Amino acid sequence: MLVCLTVHEAAHAWTADRLGDSTARDLGRVSLNPLVHIDPIGTIVLPLLAAFSGLPIIGWAKPVPVNISRLRHYRRDFMIVAAAGPISNFL
């Protein structure tokens, strides 16, 4: 799960960076290092509680900040950035 969350958020960050918004790069979020994407509750506490209680394991990572005013074609590019995470999960 940690790998999936990391790749998902890194895909959002990398795509935003390629489309003109360097916010995620400036914050060090264009990375496959899971430590930069960990959300204490969504990545650690909730999955552990679910695993020990027998519930389905779900979780989340820190969302990647995107400044749409920095994207070249903000409407189209923001949709591409948003789709990058789920597409990385399918791949």
Side-chain angles (χ1 to χ4, degrees):
M1 183 172 152
L2 186 59
V3 171
C4 292
L5 291 173
T6 300
V7 170
H8 179 100
E9 294 304 324
H12 285 305
W14 181 82
T15 304
D17 188 55
R18 297 289 297 173
L19 294 173
D21 177 20
S22 64
T23 304
R25 178 169 299 283
D26 297 340
L27 296 173
R29 301 291 300 280
V30 183
S31 172
L32 289 174
N33 178 358
L35 296 177
V36 301
H37 299 290
I38 288 178
D39 177 84
I41 303 296
T43 311
I44 299 170
V45 175
L46 186 65
L48 284 175
L49 288 173
F52 287 117
S53 67
L55 296 171
I57 298 175
I58 61 169
W60 62 86
K62 281 195 279 187
V64 170
V66 178
N67 183 347
I68 62 171
S69 66
R70 292 176 144 186
L71 297 172
R72 291 182 201 104
H73 305 282
Y74 68 94
R75 285 185 182 168
R76 182 201 68 186
D77 292 351
F78 189 63
M79 286 189 289
I80 294 170
V81 170
I87 289 170
S88 74
N89 292 128
F90 284 115
L91 295 176

